């Protein structure tokens, strides 16, 4: 078992690993000059984000399609059974023309699957365009996150809209930008929203009586951290909050600077986040998809 410890404190972060390739495109098909004067690699234009995975100009998306075909199964086949009474699970080699993902073993099975057309296809189409946009090579202004803010400004954690507004995320100007940002901030903001004094999780609204007892103890510790700003004796005695994420996978692969948003939510509390599990750090010789 491998363990990754990432420490987030106000104004600082210890960098252990990064997910550099998440927003790093494949070899360029086009070059433009960015606002900084440097050349940028543009693989996908904003008006042409949809591509079937097998024909994508982005290498990682083609690899994702191949991975789905290799390990997935046709959803229509699952509802069928073989002569031996076992589910027929053929590989999804047919790509849905509407969402671009390999979803079925044949066009006939694709046409039969009304659930896919009515409930899933639109979401997969959206995910297809979002993933291509992330890897398009454009300057991702929405990932220019705010740093610390004044103590008198109250953060509203009741929804993503209110959180991003009260935390002064000024570059969120579209639904796609909102999806990009909420996707990468889900883990740190979830931890922060549970621990924060203005947490939306209260008794009968996300918390059980047992959970409320645990949260009360943690929030008392956070209050002591706030008081320690003016009490030197308390400052010497304060203990950090320790968060253990068991079986960590994607959350351990995020760039550590994203977890600084957790530190900005709890500016007076040293927070240690420990990622525990065999998949939190890829082995040196392990080939792992970045998707």
């Amino acid at each position: 078992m491998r363990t990754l410890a990432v420490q987030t404190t106000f104004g600082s972060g210890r960098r252990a690993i990064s997910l550099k390739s998440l927003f790093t495109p494949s070899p360029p098909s086009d070059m433009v000059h960015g606002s900084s004067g440097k050349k940028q690699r543009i693989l996908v234009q904003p008006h042409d984000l949809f591509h079937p995975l097998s024909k994508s100009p982005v290498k990682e998306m083609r690899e994702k399609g191949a991975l789905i075909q290799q390990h997935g199964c046709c959803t229509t086949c699952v509802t069928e059974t073989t002569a031996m009474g076992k589910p027929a699970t053929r590989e999804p080699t047919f790509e849905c023309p509407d969402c671009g993902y390999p979803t079925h073993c044949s066009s006939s099975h694709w046409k039969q699957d009304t659930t896919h057309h009515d409930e899933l296809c639109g979401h997969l189409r959206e995910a297809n365009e979002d993933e291509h946009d992330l890897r398009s090579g454009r300057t991702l202004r929405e990932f220019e996150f705010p740093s610390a803010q004044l103590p008198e400004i109250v953060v509203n954690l009741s929804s993503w809209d209110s959180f991003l507004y009260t935390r002064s995320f000024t570059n969120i100007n579209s639904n796609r930008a909102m999806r990009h940002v909420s996707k990468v901030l889900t883990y740190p903001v979830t931890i922060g929203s549970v621990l924060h004094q203005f947490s939306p999780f209260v008794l009968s609204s996300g918390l059980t009586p047992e959970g409320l007892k645990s949260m009360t103890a943690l929030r008392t510790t956070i209050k002591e951290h706030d008081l320690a700003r003016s009490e030197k004796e308390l400052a010497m005695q304060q203990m950090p909050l320790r968060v253990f994420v068991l079986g960590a996978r994607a959350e351990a692969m995020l760039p550590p600077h994203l977890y600084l948003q957790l530190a900005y939510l709890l500016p007076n509390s040293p927070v240690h986040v420990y990622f525990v599990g065999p998949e939190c750090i890829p082995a040196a010789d392990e080939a792992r998809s970045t998707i």
Side-chain angles (χ1 to χ4, degrees):
M1 179 179 293
R2 291 164 290 183
T3 303
L4 170 65
V6 176
Q7 180 181 11
T8 58
T9 55
F10 180 64
S12 65
R14 187 171 66 197
R15 187 176 183 85
I17 58 174
S18 70
L19 192 57
K20 180 180 179 182
S21 57
L22 177 60
F23 307 125
T24 303
S26 302
S29 61
D30 194 8
M31 302 289 286
V32 298
H33 288 277
S35 57
S36 62
K38 296 181 179 180
K39 289 185 177 181
Q40 296 174 255
R41 299 175 175 180
I42 302 297
L43 289 176
V44 184
Q45 297 298 330
H47 61 274
D48 187 31
L49 293 176
F50 174 75
H51 294 274
L53 297 195
S54 63
K55 300 178 181 178
S56 172
V58 182
K59 177 185 175 184
E60 290 81 9
M61 297 301 289
R62 297 194 299 272
E63 291 176 347
K64 182 174 186 175
L67 194 66
I68 294 173
Q69 291 186 12
Q70 181 181 356
H71 298 285
C73 63
C74 171
T75 54
T76 304
C77 287
V78 171
T79 62
E80 299 179 351
T81 56
T82 63
M84 299 180 65
K86 296 181 179 180
T89 54
R90 288 184 285 270
E91 292 79 9
T93 56
F94 177 81
E95 282 185 328
C96 172
D98 297 324
C99 68
Y101 278 81
T103 55
H104 298 81
C105 65
S106 64
S107 60
S108 60
H109 275 196
W110 170 73
K111 293 176 181 178
Q112 293 176 31
D113 193 349
T114 56
T115 301
H116 171 78
H117 302 306
D118 297 339
E119 301 178 12
L120 303 177
C121 192
H123 296 294
L124 290 174
R125 170 84 181 219
E126 190 175 80
N128 182 311
E129 294 180 356
D130 286 352
E131 294 287 354
H132 278 99
D133 185 47
L134 284 172
R135 294 165 174 80
S136 65
R138 71 173 178 86
T139 300
L140 298 167
R141 300 292 185 193
E142 54 265 48
F143 289 109
E144 296 176 0
F145 295 160
S147 57
Q149 62 188 37
L150 297 175
E152 57 266 25
I153 299 178
V154 178
V155 177
N156 189 325
L157 294 161
S158 60
S159 68
W160 275 109
D161 285 320
S162 58
F163 168 74
L164 296 174
Y165 177 75
T166 54
R167 275 288 290 125
S168 301
F169 282 76
T170 58
N171 293 321
I172 312 298
N173 52 19
S174 68
N175 289 334
R176 176 164 285 118
M178 168 74 82
R179 291 194 297 270
H180 289 342
V181 172
S182 61
K183 180 179 180 179
V184 298
L185 287 183
T186 289
Y187 294 114
V189 172
T190 297
I191 296 173
S193 65
V194 170
L195 298 175
H196 201 273
Q197 62 175 327
F198 300 125
S199 171
F201 301 105
V202 295
L203 188 63
S204 75
S205 181
L207 279 184
T208 63
E210 294 76 12
L212 180 61
K213 294 177 183 178
S214 299
M215 289 299 103
T216 301
L218 288 170
R219 290 167 186 167
T220 300
T221 301
I222 294 172
K223 187 62 177 179
E224 292 175 353
H225 292 164
D226 294 338
L227 296 174
R229 288 183 301 173
S230 55
E231 296 287 342
K232 292 184 179 180
E233 186 174 336
L234 284 176
M236 296 176 63
Q237 298 176 1
Q238 70 175 2
M239 297 293 292
L241 292 172
R242 294 183 176 90
V243 180
F244 294 87
V245 183
L246 304 181
R249 300 181 64 184
E251 57 268 55
M253 299 299 293
L254 290 173
H257 76 271
L258 294 178
Y259 281 93
L260 285 178
Q261 295 302 316
L262 172 58
Y264 299 143
L265 286 175
L266 306 170
N268 300 310
S269 298
V271 182
H272 295 185
V273 183
Y274 297 88
F275 301 113
V276 184
E279 297 186 72
C280 65
I281 304 178
D285 58 347
E286 180 181 358
R288 171 174 291 194
S289 172
T290 60
I291 301 174

